[in-house]
Amino acid sequence: MSIARQNRLNTYAAHGVLILYTLIALFPVFVIIINSFKTRRAIFREPLAMPNSETFSLIGYETVLNQGDFFLYFQNSMIVTVASLFFILLFGAMAAFALAEYRFKGNLMMGLYLALGIMIPIRIGTVAILELMVQTGLVNTLWALILVYTAQGLPLAVFILSEFMRQVSDDLKNAGRIDGLSEYRIFFRLVLPLVRPAMATVAVFNMIPIWNDLWFPLILAPAEEVKTLTLGSQVFIGQFVTDWNAVLSALSLAILPVMALYVIFSRQLIRGITSGAVK
Amino acid sequence: MTALALTNICKSFGPVEVLKDINLTVEEGEFVVFVGPSGCGKSTLLRVIAGLEDATSGTVEIGGAQVNSVPPAKRGIAMVFQSYALYPHLSVRDNMALGLKQENQPKSVIEARVNKAVQMLDLGAYVDRRPSDLSGGQRQRVAIGRTIVREPKLFLFDEPLSNLDAALRMNTRVEIAELQRTLSATMIYVTHDQTEAMTLADKIVVLRDGRIEQVGSPMELYNNPVNQFVAGFLGSPAMNFLSKAPVSIPENGVIGIRPEYLRPVSGGRIKGRVTHVERLGGDTNLLVKTAQDEALTVRIFGQDDTRVGEAIELDFDDAKAFAFDHEQRRVI
Ligand SMILES: Nc1ncnc2c1ncn2[C@@H]1O[C@H](COP(=O)(O)OP(=O)(O)OP(=O)(O)O)[C@@H](O)[C@H]1O
Ligand SMILES: [Mg+2]
């Protein structure tokens, strides 16, 4: 068998597997979206059928938009996610730069200490965090969530970014120093643009868990005016009756903003993944 | 006037001593080349001079002023790096101008100096391009331009040609030499290529394991090396060292003969067999294995039709040979 033919078969096989995986991964999302446009009866009678003129209904979306302050929840989730990502990237990159660039006593220990958080889930400390938030008066504020998520995201961010920053050429940083750039300008203007793919990777890895988190909003910020989208959607899930139309519509809507953020980061992300892979 | 004076410079990274008691003065307008094998501390020494690394002890003086605690940008130096290190987000013009902008020079001065450098280095067609759109040679010229515009007291080059191909390396070498003459600048140039060292330097500093082995003009070092290391490092093909041949050899020592001073003579004292012949057109190098099983290189000017496997007898003028004792120090 010729090598070219073999390669072609391999390519087909690889694509086959990938397409299959994509279908499996997207199937639940697809089911959620089609069912969000159906009447309640249709959802249960034929969950996999497409909505048609008989079963089509926007009742779920109407409930979602009329009940509760859905736009506020949206806004809260967006603020928490974007602000957390911003602080994770900013502080993570700064710490990573210090660890990668400067020699000081305890550099290695500091790096290990910062990386330890990757292995210890922050939820273990929930009670202590709650006490802390009560004492500082941050309960039921978005800041409580932003601070917790920043802490949760930093270890991995520092770990990944410091690895990438070590690869940035020393000569480039030294050229900047000789030209009189401050360490801050070297960091922001020379180093950060070069590790942009790694930053996007960190952002995407952190974004989804923060957006979807139910635990901390429930514990630290359950008040109406600071509810996040995930928490807000819970009103439709009752102990005895669940308004499935509304739940499915809320979930469908919740996909949109993450999609938007993902598209923003994805170009960088793909570069990040492949640059790591081929080097 | 003294452009640079290093006194008792030591540098350690943790327990590793990289530079050991370096003393050196460089006069204004001199072209000084640091050579030495890989890892001997050339780049570290250059970074100490630039202020990118602090010396563990000792003082650095540039233009008569001690600069130990002066940041790199204020030392009056400029540096060209091996990897060019151009700012990827800036155009060629802005790459050159950045240092001057940081010094708060007036716009007119910046423009004049950049234009002069662009003209000098023939970069006119590329001023608005990004570094990624330039070839290696052009990038290196931009890096050199970036140092010229600063009008520094001291130029530092860290292996600037090692990423270029052979032909371009030769051209750029000549350009750097011409540049030094037109600017009558003081330059310190690091390389591990001894041809670059010999052709460019007013003064060569040979380093080994963080110590200065010898300082002198290229011909001084070539004709009068203080030890076996310097003798073997400079010259291409390298000097031959014999310890068993039937000639006068110091006890436990070796005798060193440059390849061009060995002549095929019938009845010569060294007998051997040709194992390989390199014909370069201008000269011919014979690789010889002696009867005592030592390897030798013989350089014959012009073309020669000696064949591989032939027996050969060689001799040399004793006055042209160097003798080294058991600690590799020069004795004759
Ligand atoms: N930051 C550092 N930490 C620890 N050791 C270092 C550091 N920088 C350099 N060294 C060590 O110092 C020694 C000298 O390094 P240096 O870069 O000065 O060598 P060099 O002469 O420039 O070699 P080359 O010709 O390969 O560039 C090497 O053994 C190197 O391992
Ligand atoms: Mg070096």
Side-chain angles (χ1 to χ4, degrees):
Chain A
M1 202 203 296
S2 76
I3 289 180
R5 201 100 166 267
Q6 206 175 3
N7 280 347
R8 171 116 25 117
L9 274 181
N10 272 340
T11 320
Y12 282 140
H15 277 85
V17 170
L18 290 175
I19 288 170
L20 190 70
Y21 177 78
T22 312
L23 288 180
I24 294 172
L26 286 183
F27 187 68
V29 180
F30 174 71
V31 172
I32 289 174
I33 292 175
I34 56 170
N35 281 308
S36 71
F37 288 105
K38 293 201 291 203
T39 58
R40 188 178 167 82
R41 286 240 320 273
I43 293 176
F44 284 101
R45 190 168 299 156
E46 270 185 291
L48 295 185
M50 294 295 284
N52 55 31
S53 53
E54 237 171 88
T55 57
F56 181 81
S57 146
L58 286 175
I59 179 75
Y61 290 93
E62 277 163 28
T63 327
V64 167
L65 297 183
N66 293 334
Q67 188 177 4
D69 210 339
F70 214 74
F71 280 111
L72 182 68
Y73 302 161
F74 242 120
Q75 198 185 329
N76 288 338
S77 272
M78 207 64 185
I79 291 172
V80 168
T81 307
V82 171
S84 304
L85 286 182
F86 175 77
F87 287 123
I88 290 171
L89 291 179
L90 180 70
F91 295 134
M94 284 177 139
F97 183 70
L99 287 177
E101 182 61 19
Y102 305 121
R103 284 190 299 273
F104 54 89
K105 273 214 177 65
N107 181 318
L108 187 68
M109 289 314 290
M110 185 70 108
L112 284 177
Y113 171 71
L114 286 176
L116 210 62
I118 299 173
M119 286 155 263
I120 302 174
I122 194 168
R123 289 181 189 194
I124 288 178
T126 303
V127 175
I129 290 174
L130 182 58
E131 278 175 0
L132 205 71
M133 293 298 174
V134 171
Q135 277 162 18
T136 45
L138 287 175
V139 172
N140 281 333
T141 62
L142 293 180
W143 275 111
L145 296 177
I146 292 171
L147 289 176
V148 169
Y149 292 142
T150 306
Q152 171 186 304
L154 273 177
L156 194 64
V158 173
F159 189 70
I160 293 179
L161 291 177
S162 64
E163 214 40 61
F164 273 78
M165 288 197 186
R166 270 184 249 280
Q167 290 169 14
V168 175
S169 135
D170 280 336
D171 285 355
L172 186 64
K173 290 174 273 193
N174 286 337
R177 290 190 183 114
I178 287 180
D179 273 344
L181 301 184
S182 67
E183 292 297 309
Y184 283 99
R185 273 199 68 189
I186 290 174
F187 172 70
F188 283 112
R189 300 300 303 277
L190 297 183
V191 176
L192 277 197
L194 291 176
V195 297
R196 221 168 36 199
M199 305 264 286
T201 312
V202 170
V204 170
F205 276 141
N206 279 302
M207 181 174 73
I208 313 287
I210 294 176
W211 183 265
N212 287 339
D213 191 36
L214 184 57
W215 180 267
F216 284 113
L218 191 60
I219 293 168
L220 297 179
E224 183 62 24
E225 69 278 7
V226 289
K227 260 187 195 164
T228 61
L229 190 56
T230 331
L231 185 56
S233 310
Q234 300 303 309
V235 298
F236 305 118
I237 300 178
Q239 194 174 357
F240 306 108
V241 275
T242 294
D243 185 344
W244 285 108
N245 296 80
V247 170
L248 293 176
S249 308
L251 288 177
S252 303
L253 287 175
I255 295 171
L256 295 177
V258 251
M259 280 267 281
L261 283 180
Y262 183 81
V263 168
I264 294 172
F265 291 126
S266 67
R267 253 190 51 162
Q268 305 287 341
L269 175 73
I270 290 162
R271 278 220 318 223
I273 290 173
T274 51
S275 79
V278 294
K279 247 188 230 160
Chain B
M1 212 181 92
T2 313
L4 170 75
L6 302 175
T7 343
N8 304 113
I9 294 287
C10 296
K11 172 74 189 168
S12 318
F13 292 110
V16 192
E17 270 188 83
V18 175
L19 296 176
K20 299 159 193 161
D21 197 25
I22 302 277
N23 288 289
L24 181 71
T25 54
V26 174
E27 299 304 319
E28 210 159 281
E30 247 182 338
F31 198 123
V32 176
V33 175
F34 294 172
V35 279
S38 196
C40 69
K42 304 178 298 284
S43 301
T44 309
L45 183 54
L46 207 62
R47 287 208 298 272
V48 167
I49 296 171
L52 297 168
E53 237 20 292
D54 287 325
T56 312
S57 65
T59 57
V60 181
E61 285 174 38
I62 294 176
Q66 189 184 324
V67 292
N68 276 40
S69 49
V70 177
K74 302 222 159 71
R75 288 193 176 193
I77 52 137
M79 187 157 169
V80 177
F81 296 88
Q82 180 175 357
S83 60
Y84 319 129
L86 299 177
Y87 307 120
H89 60 295
L90 296 179
S91 68
V92 166
R93 179 185 293 283
D94 292 336
N95 258 284
M96 294 196 197
L98 185 65
L100 295 176
K101 280 184 193 151
Q102 289 298 119
E103 284 175 5
N104 292 321
Q105 296 278 3
K107 266 217 167 71
S108 55
V109 173
I110 298 180
E111 195 152 323
R113 289 207 206 163
V114 170
N115 287 341
K116 198 172 128 205
V118 163
Q119 206 169 17
M120 220 188 249
L121 294 165
D122 207 9
L123 285 167
Y126 315 110
V127 283
D128 293 318
R129 290 208 199 162
R130 291 284 167 88
S132 54
D133 303 333
L134 298 177
S135 74
Q138 291 161 348
R139 284 180 209 181
Q140 195 53 279
R141 291 222 294 282
V142 176
I144 293 172
R146 192 167 62 177
T147 62
I148 295 177
V149 297
R150 301 282 305 275
E151 299 186 352
K153 286 183 256 179
L154 194 59
F155 285 84
L156 306 174
F157 292 84
D158 191 356
E159 307 201 20
L161 308 185
S162 57
N163 284 344
L164 304 181
D165 66 50
L168 204 53
R169 200 180 298 177
M170 164 99 188
N171 286 343
T172 318
R173 198 168 76 203
V174 174
E175 274 178 41
I176 290 178
E178 278 171 1
L179 197 71
Q180 197 254 348
R181 244 169 282 144
T182 39
L183 299 173
S184 54
T186 318
M187 293 190 176
I188 296 183
Y189 186 106
V190 165
T191 177
H192 55 242
D193 181 308
Q194 51 104 8
T195 322
E196 271 172 39
M198 299 293 276
T199 51
L200 286 172
D202 293 321
K203 184 151 105 183
I204 295 184
V205 177
V206 182
L207 289 157
R208 175 167 62 155
D209 289 341
R211 271 182 223 288
I212 293 184
E213 294 283 314
Q214 192 174 0
V215 180
S217 74
M219 287 310 118
E220 260 168 57
L221 299 198
Y222 193 79
N223 295 328
N224 208 1
V226 295
N227 59 28
Q228 193 179 337
F229 175 78
V230 176
F233 194 78
L234 295 179
S236 163
M239 187 184 277
N240 298 300
F241 296 108
L242 297 174
S243 58
K244 297 192 229 133
V247 293
S248 63
I249 291 173
E251 206 177 330
N252 290 327
V254 296
I255 190 156
I257 313 145
R258 294 221 178 263
E260 59 266 34
Y261 296 139
L262 279 169
R263 299 178 314 269
V265 186
S266 66
R269 285 173 289 174
I270 303 170
K271 299 181 181 17
R273 196 164 286 282
V274 177
T275 55
H276 184 68
V277 182
E278 290 178 339
R279 298 180 206 283
L280 303 171
D283 349 301
T284 309
N285 295 332
L286 307 180
L287 276 65
V288 175
K289 180 125 299 164
T290 67
Q292 292 78 29
D293 219 24
E294 291 179 298
L296 273 186
T297 314
V298 182
R299 181 170 176 199
I300 297 171
F301 294 98
Q303 300 179 2
D304 189 273
D305 50 12
T306 313
R307 280 192 304 274
V308 174
E310 269 180 37
I312 191 168
E313 291 176 334
L314 299 164
D315 212 328
F316 59 91
D317 184 352
D318 278 337
K320 303 264 190 189
F322 304 96
F324 301 97
D325 67 10
H326 62 286
E327 281 177 324
Q328 308 199 339
R329 281 181 309 229
R330 171 91 179 279
V331 284
I332 307 172

